[in-house]
């Protein structure tokens, strides 16, 4: 087997090695049944157990209170961008959005196809940052307030969440769900494509407060109605069973690590390694996100010297680092440090950053 | 490892053992890159290769002519039931459907939510059969004619396809795509959830004639527009990459088997084993589908004696047979004999059927 790469991909992204090894062991013959999990009915007792247990693991890890449903859907966050306004943005209401970057913008653009929208707050132009919660202005006729808890491309992350009173708070948590504990009861709906912190692509987790199911538009195509999936326990049609199974293994791995308090501590340690290098480099490196908005999931930075940045980009692959080029819309560099990226990978990157500066500074 | 089961599941269903073994070998470290295929970007050169090659394999196996796009979508056939009328069923047009059973009905019900529909032909009441092509009446203002090429639950299958002239012919081929060669150029759009003949659940293959992309409704949510996926080569958002990869391996396996002529011959041999037992049982067993509509993918039958049928249902699991209970809506028995179900499994079932009759006849 090849040496395991230092995988800083932005998504699909690193998975825990233990999870991959267990999946490998069970792939051809799932726990002695003489078939792969991919070969059995989604209504078999084996898959029903995966479906139920995965919901329960998420409930336990996130401390999801009574009155919420956990759903496993298809189509990624991009489908949620449409499903949210289709289900909730009725005539006379406005979908309120906090605009924090590329992903928030995609959610807004999709809602604009469907109904009336409003920008409740936005990132200060020329910065990569999350607006202060006090700046958020929710219109009186808001159907919901939508936030993007972590902007994968900018490397910015909410440090706390707004209180929205009776207006449902909806969050795209695709790139930081399960990275730290938070109070789920503040939210009406949380969604996350799996391919960053939860598992492989192909499944989207939705956590929805049950009262919202009743509010939803009942004339929509069946597959776009949250109520249909909730009523059918995510088995209305054939689910992306293998992806849900990998999520199940990832959640068990997180539980064994000690849950979200332990994971949050580790994520902070991992990213502090990198942010500390930038802040102590005398300006050689510079973090792109404003300090108060720095993400523990996506670390973005640049080199002051453009030529040296090119040299850095040429050099890092030969050192076993994968996925450090920034997204084309922001440029520069980015290390995605999701839960499954080991401390050792971040340590190796911090060492390489220091070494590169020493050689070129 | 446990003995491999005789897997007659209706879907998700059997996969070729060689495919599962290769997937297992490559799961943790995909071809020496130090990462799993689940851990890399859908814009990486490795996944781009999977995406392109899988399209090409389908084009080669099915003989897809120029002027068609192959797409890998999410949401299953259930999402296609809605996407088809959403994209094509414009004001003043009618969606024409041939009603052949449970799956055709689901497609019709979904279209009824969206626009005007018409039944172009239907199964004769009290039978499990496909109507004669001569019975199909296409309304003048038809947006399309929709057929269900194989009814998984009834065990009925079109033996030939209608000519629809300038009206686009659309087919749900979820349960028999790649089971035999046919003329793709007769069709405007073909779709198939993967979990029967193509791979694991989580990906839906769509083959669409390019002129239909331009006709489609442009005001739809982005993820529901065929044109968006076609323009972005199925990479508009993160695709269900691992499912597509397994489809890739299945298509290579089919190619190695000798392509669709060889596969069709094998499927006929496999199901003749079973139909011959019924027809030579002196009425002990009876095939449920009319002879001219018998499927080579789902074989449905009953025992004349109700008590003996109960006994059969109790006995078969102990003989290593999985998935032989009929769907609750039709009852009795069903063996799904998709491409990946080996001849040996069908032979074992035929032998068991004969043995059971001998012991109880």
């Amino acid at each position: 087997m090849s040496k395991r790469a230092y995988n800083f991909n932005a998504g699909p992204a690193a998975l825990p090695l233990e999870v991959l090894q267990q999946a490998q062991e069970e792939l051809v013959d799932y726990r002695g049944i003489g078939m792969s999990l991919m070969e059995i009915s989604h209504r078999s007792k084996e898959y029903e157990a995966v479906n139920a247990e995965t919901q329960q693991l998420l409930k336990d890890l996130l401390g999801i209170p009574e009155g919420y449903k956990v759903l496993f859907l298809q189509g990624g966050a991009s489908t949620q961008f449409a499903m949210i306004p289709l289900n909730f943005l009725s005539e006379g209401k406005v979908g309120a959005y906090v605009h924090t970057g590329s992903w928030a913008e995609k959610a807004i653009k999709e809602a604009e196809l469907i109904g009336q929208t409003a920008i409740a707050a936005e990132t200060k132009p020329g910065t990569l940052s999350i607006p202060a919660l006090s700046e958020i202005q929710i219109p009186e006729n808001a159907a919901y307030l939508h936030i993007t808890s972590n902007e994968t491309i900018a490397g910015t992350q909410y440090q706390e969440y707004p209180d929205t009173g009776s207006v449902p708070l909806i969050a795209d948590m695709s790139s930081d769900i399960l990275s730290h504990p938070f109070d789920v009861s503040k939210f009406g709906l949380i969604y996350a494509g799996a391919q960053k912190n939860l598992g492989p692509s192909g499944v989207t987790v939705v956590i929805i407060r049950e009262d919202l199911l009743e509010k939803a538009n009942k004339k929509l195509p069946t597959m776009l109605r949250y109520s249909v999936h909730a009523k059918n326990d995510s088995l209305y049609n054939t689910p992306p069973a293998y992806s849900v199974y990998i999520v199940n293994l990832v959640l068990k791995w997180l539980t064994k690590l000690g849950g979200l308090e332990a994971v949050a501590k580790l994520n902070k340690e991992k990213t502090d390694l990198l942010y500390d290098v930038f802040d102590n480099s005398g300006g050689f490196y510079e973090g792109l996100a404003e300090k108060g908005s720095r993400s523990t999931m996506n670390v973005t930075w640049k080199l002051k010297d453009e030529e040296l940045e090119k040299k850095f980009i040429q050099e890092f692959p030969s050192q076993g680092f994968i996925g450090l080029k920034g997204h084309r819309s922001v440029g520069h560099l980015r290390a995605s440090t999701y839960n499954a990226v080991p401390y050792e990978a971040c340590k190796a990157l911090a060492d390489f950053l220091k070494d590169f500066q020493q050689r070129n500074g």
Side-chain angles (χ1 to χ4, degrees), chain A residues 67-81:
Chain A
Y68 285 79
K69 290 269 190 201
V70 175
L71 310 177
F72 304 122
L73 307 184
Q74 293 186 62
S78 297
T79 297
Q80 294 307 305
F81 297 160

PDB file of all heavy atoms in Angstrom, chain A residues 67-81:
ATOM      1  N   GLY A  67     -38.504  16.277  18.882  1.00  0.00           N
ATOM      2  CA  GLY A  67     -39.225  17.194  17.999  1.00  0.00           C
ATOM      3  C   GLY A  67     -38.482  17.497  16.713  1.00  0.00           C
ATOM      4  O   GLY A  67     -38.901  18.366  15.950  1.00  0.00           O
ATOM      5  N   TYR A  68     -37.380  16.780  16.464  1.00  0.00           N
ATOM      6  CA  TYR A  68     -36.652  16.934  15.193  1.00  0.00           C
ATOM      7  C   TYR A  68     -36.593  15.591  14.485  1.00  0.00           C
ATOM      8  O   TYR A  68     -36.540  14.542  15.125  1.00  0.00           O
ATOM      9  CB  TYR A  68     -35.214  17.416  15.433  1.00  0.00           C
ATOM     10  CG  TYR A  68     -35.094  18.872  15.797  1.00  0.00           C
ATOM     11  CD1 TYR A  68     -35.366  19.302  17.096  1.00  0.00           C
ATOM     12  CD2 TYR A  68     -34.702  19.825  14.853  1.00  0.00           C
ATOM     13  CE1 TYR A  68     -35.260  20.650  17.447  1.00  0.00           C
ATOM     14  CE2 TYR A  68     -34.591  21.166  15.195  1.00  0.00           C
ATOM     15  CZ  TYR A  68     -34.873  21.570  16.488  1.00  0.00           C
ATOM     16  OH  TYR A  68     -34.768  22.899  16.811  1.00  0.00           O
ATOM     17  N   LYS A  69     -36.561  15.640  13.147  1.00  0.00           N
ATOM     18  CA  LYS A  69     -36.343  14.438  12.351  1.00  0.00           C
ATOM     19  C   LYS A  69     -34.977  14.543  11.673  1.00  0.00           C
ATOM     20  O   LYS A  69     -34.590  15.629  11.232  1.00  0.00           O
ATOM     21  CB  LYS A  69     -37.393  14.327  11.236  1.00  0.00           C
ATOM     22  CG  LYS A  69     -38.778  14.019  11.740  1.00  0.00           C
ATOM     23  CD  LYS A  69     -39.016  12.523  11.794  1.00  0.00           C
ATOM     24  CE  LYS A  69     -40.486  12.257  12.063  1.00  0.00           C
ATOM     25  NZ  LYS A  69     -40.683  10.902  12.615  1.00  0.00           N
ATOM     26  N   VAL A  70     -34.306  13.421  11.565  1.00  0.00           N
ATOM     27  CA  VAL A  70     -33.053  13.350  10.809  1.00  0.00           C
ATOM     28  C   VAL A  70     -33.346  12.618   9.499  1.00  0.00           C
ATOM     29  O   VAL A  70     -33.859  11.501   9.520  1.00  0.00           O
ATOM     30  CB  VAL A  70     -31.963  12.585  11.597  1.00  0.00           C
ATOM     31  CG1 VAL A  70     -30.710  12.414  10.749  1.00  0.00           C
ATOM     32  CG2 VAL A  70     -31.648  13.299  12.902  1.00  0.00           C
ATOM     33  N   LEU A  71     -33.023  13.259   8.379  1.00  0.00           N
ATOM     34  CA  LEU A  71     -33.304  12.676   7.063  1.00  0.00           C
ATOM     35  C   LEU A  71     -32.020  12.457   6.277  1.00  0.00           C
ATOM     36  O   LEU A  71     -31.056  13.223   6.417  1.00  0.00           O
ATOM     37  CB  LEU A  71     -34.209  13.617   6.248  1.00  0.00           C
ATOM     38  CG  LEU A  71     -35.477  14.133   6.918  1.00  0.00           C
ATOM     39  CD1 LEU A  71     -36.212  15.101   5.982  1.00  0.00           C
ATOM     40  CD2 LEU A  71     -36.391  12.984   7.318  1.00  0.00           C
ATOM     41  N   PHE A  72     -32.027  11.435   5.444  1.00  0.00           N
ATOM     42  CA  PHE A  72     -30.914  11.188   4.523  1.00  0.00           C
ATOM     43  C   PHE A  72     -31.439  11.328   3.092  1.00  0.00           C
ATOM     44  O   PHE A  72     -32.183  10.475   2.610  1.00  0.00           O
ATOM     45  CB  PHE A  72     -30.329   9.796   4.748  1.00  0.00           C
ATOM     46  CG  PHE A  72     -29.883   9.580   6.163  1.00  0.00           C
ATOM     47  CD1 PHE A  72     -30.407   8.544   6.929  1.00  0.00           C
ATOM     48  CD2 PHE A  72     -28.952  10.433   6.754  1.00  0.00           C
ATOM     49  CE1 PHE A  72     -30.014   8.355   8.246  1.00  0.00           C
ATOM     50  CE2 PHE A  72     -28.548  10.257   8.077  1.00  0.00           C
ATOM     51  CZ  PHE A  72     -29.081   9.210   8.821  1.00  0.00           C
ATOM     52  N   LEU A  73     -31.069  12.415   2.444  1.00  0.00           N
ATOM     53  CA  LEU A  73     -31.592  12.718   1.112  1.00  0.00           C
ATOM     54  C   LEU A  73     -30.483  12.662   0.072  1.00  0.00           C
ATOM     55  O   LEU A  73     -29.317  12.437   0.397  1.00  0.00           O
ATOM     56  CB  LEU A  73     -32.247  14.102   1.117  1.00  0.00           C
ATOM     57  CG  LEU A  73     -33.313  14.329   2.202  1.00  0.00           C
ATOM     58  CD1 LEU A  73     -33.955  15.697   2.048  1.00  0.00           C
ATOM     59  CD2 LEU A  73     -34.377  13.249   2.155  1.00  0.00           C
ATOM     60  N   GLN A  74     -30.870  12.888  -1.186  1.00  0.00           N
ATOM     61  CA  GLN A  74     -29.901  12.942  -2.274  1.00  0.00           C
ATOM     62  C   GLN A  74     -29.866  14.353  -2.878  1.00  0.00           C
ATOM     63  O   GLN A  74     -30.710  15.183  -2.582  1.00  0.00           O
ATOM     64  CB  GLN A  74     -30.265  11.927  -3.356  1.00  0.00           C
ATOM     65  CG  GLN A  74     -30.133  10.474  -2.891  1.00  0.00           C
ATOM     66  CD  GLN A  74     -30.359   9.470  -4.015  1.00  0.00           C
ATOM     67  OE1 GLN A  74     -29.623   9.436  -4.993  1.00  0.00           O
ATOM     68  NE2 GLN A  74     -31.369   8.639  -3.872  1.00  0.00           N
ATOM     69  N   GLY A  75     -28.871  14.591  -3.710  1.00  0.00           N
ATOM     70  CA  GLY A  75     -28.841  15.841  -4.472  1.00  0.00           C
ATOM     71  C   GLY A  75     -27.957  16.935  -3.892  1.00  0.00           C
ATOM     72  O   GLY A  75     -27.834  18.001  -4.499  1.00  0.00           O
ATOM     73  N   GLY A  76     -27.343  16.673  -2.734  1.00  0.00           N
ATOM     74  CA  GLY A  76     -26.387  17.632  -2.201  1.00  0.00           C
ATOM     75  C   GLY A  76     -27.023  18.910  -1.695  1.00  0.00           C
ATOM     76  O   GLY A  76     -28.241  19.111  -1.773  1.00  0.00           O
ATOM     77  N   ALA A  77     -26.174  19.786  -1.161  1.00  0.00           N
ATOM     78  CA  ALA A  77     -26.635  21.088  -0.679  1.00  0.00           C
ATOM     79  C   ALA A  77     -27.296  21.856  -1.826  1.00  0.00           C
ATOM     80  O   ALA A  77     -28.253  22.600  -1.607  1.00  0.00           O
ATOM     81  CB  ALA A  77     -25.468  21.866  -0.100  1.00  0.00           C
ATOM     82  N   SER A  78     -26.824  21.657  -3.053  1.00  0.00           N
ATOM     83  CA  SER A  78     -27.399  22.373  -4.197  1.00  0.00           C
ATOM     84  C   SER A  78     -28.898  22.112  -4.341  1.00  0.00           C
ATOM     85  O   SER A  78     -29.649  22.992  -4.754  1.00  0.00           O
ATOM     86  CB  SER A  78     -26.686  21.965  -5.490  1.00  0.00           C
ATOM     87  OG  SER A  78     -25.336  22.345  -5.431  1.00  0.00           O
ATOM     88  N   THR A  79     -29.325  20.899  -4.025  1.00  0.00           N
ATOM     89  CA  THR A  79     -30.761  20.602  -4.068  1.00  0.00           C
ATOM     90  C   THR A  79     -31.480  21.255  -2.884  1.00  0.00           C
ATOM     91  O   THR A  79     -32.605  21.737  -3.004  1.00  0.00           O
ATOM     92  CB  THR A  79     -30.989  19.078  -4.109  1.00  0.00           C
ATOM     93  OG1 THR A  79     -30.405  18.590  -5.322  1.00  0.00           O
ATOM     94  CG2 THR A  79     -32.464  18.716  -4.098  1.00  0.00           C
ATOM     95  N   GLN A  80     -30.804  21.304  -1.730  1.00  0.00           N
ATOM     96  CA  GLN A  80     -31.401  21.989  -0.576  1.00  0.00           C
ATOM     97  C   GLN A  80     -31.609  23.481  -0.851  1.00  0.00           C
ATOM     98  O   GLN A  80     -32.588  24.069  -0.390  1.00  0.00           O
ATOM     99  CB  GLN A  80     -30.527  21.803   0.675  1.00  0.00           C
ATOM    100  CG  GLN A  80     -30.454  20.368   1.157  1.00  0.00           C
ATOM    101  CD  GLN A  80     -31.823  19.776   1.357  1.00  0.00           C
ATOM    102  OE1 GLN A  80     -32.649  20.312   2.082  1.00  0.00           O
ATOM    103  NE2 GLN A  80     -32.092  18.667   0.665  1.00  0.00           N
ATOM    104  N   PHE A  81     -30.684  24.087  -1.598  1.00  0.00           N
ATOM    105  CA  PHE A  81     -30.843  25.514  -1.937  1.00  0.00           C
ATOM    106  C   PHE A  81     -32.219  25.772  -2.552  1.00  0.00           C
ATOM    107  O   PHE A  81     -32.810  26.830  -2.344  1.00  0.00           O
ATOM    108  CB  PHE A  81     -29.767  25.971  -2.930  1.00  0.00           C
ATOM    109  CG  PHE A  81     -28.356  25.894  -2.416  1.00  0.00           C
ATOM    110  CD1 PHE A  81     -27.280  25.875  -3.305  1.00  0.00           C
ATOM    111  CD2 PHE A  81     -28.078  25.857  -1.062  1.00  0.00           C
ATOM    112  CE1 PHE A  81     -25.966  25.807  -2.848  1.00  0.00           C
ATOM    113  CE2 PHE A  81     -26.765  25.777  -0.586  1.00  0.00           C
ATOM    114  CZ  PHE A  81     -25.712  25.751  -1.489  1.00  0.00           C
TER     115      PHE A  81
END
